[in-house]
């Protein structure tokens, strides 16, 4: 079941663009983003948290690589 969720997460680049835009706006606490993802894209809570987790991990890896 978790494998299915991760495949769906990987397929949706629009989620990442949306999260990047939210982060750049500075208007919300980034830990609130799963709720925003749910509303914007009509996805489940579990998928929203998985998207946020993958996005956060990628951002951390990008920062560490610099």
């Amino acid at each position: 079941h978790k494998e299915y969720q991760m495949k769906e997460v990987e397929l949706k680049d629009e989620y990442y663009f949306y999260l990047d835009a939210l982060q750049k706006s500075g208007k919300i606490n980034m830990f609130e983003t799963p709720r925003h993802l749910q509303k914007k894209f009509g996805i489940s809570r579990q998928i929203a948290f998985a998207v946020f987790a993958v996005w956060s991990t990628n951002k951390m890896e990008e920062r560490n690589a610099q």
Side-chain angles (χ1 to χ4, degrees):
H1 183 71
K2 190 172 191 168
E3 194 173 308
Y4 164 76
Q5 288 180 349
M6 295 314 289
K7 285 181 184 175
E8 185 172 337
V9 167
E10 291 173 35
L11 294 176
K12 302 289 187 177
D13 286 340
E14 67 219 281
Y15 298 157
Y16 300 112
F17 294 127
Y18 179 71
L19 289 171
D20 286 342
L22 278 178
Q23 182 183 43
K24 287 178 186 170
S25 77
K27 292 181 181 179
I28 66 164
N29 180 321
M30 291 309 290
F31 290 106
E32 296 174 19
T33 57
R35 183 171 44 91
H36 289 273
L37 285 167
Q38 284 179 267
K39 287 182 181 180
K40 171 93 173 152
F41 297 104
I43 58 176
S44 72
R45 183 175 187 263
Q46 289 129 335
I47 295 294
F49 275 94
V51 168
F52 179 68
V54 171
W55 178 83
S56 297
T57 300
N58 289 343
K59 287 294 179 183
M60 203 166 27
E61 288 173 357
E62 286 174 13
R63 278 190 290 255
N64 291 338
Q66 294 176 354

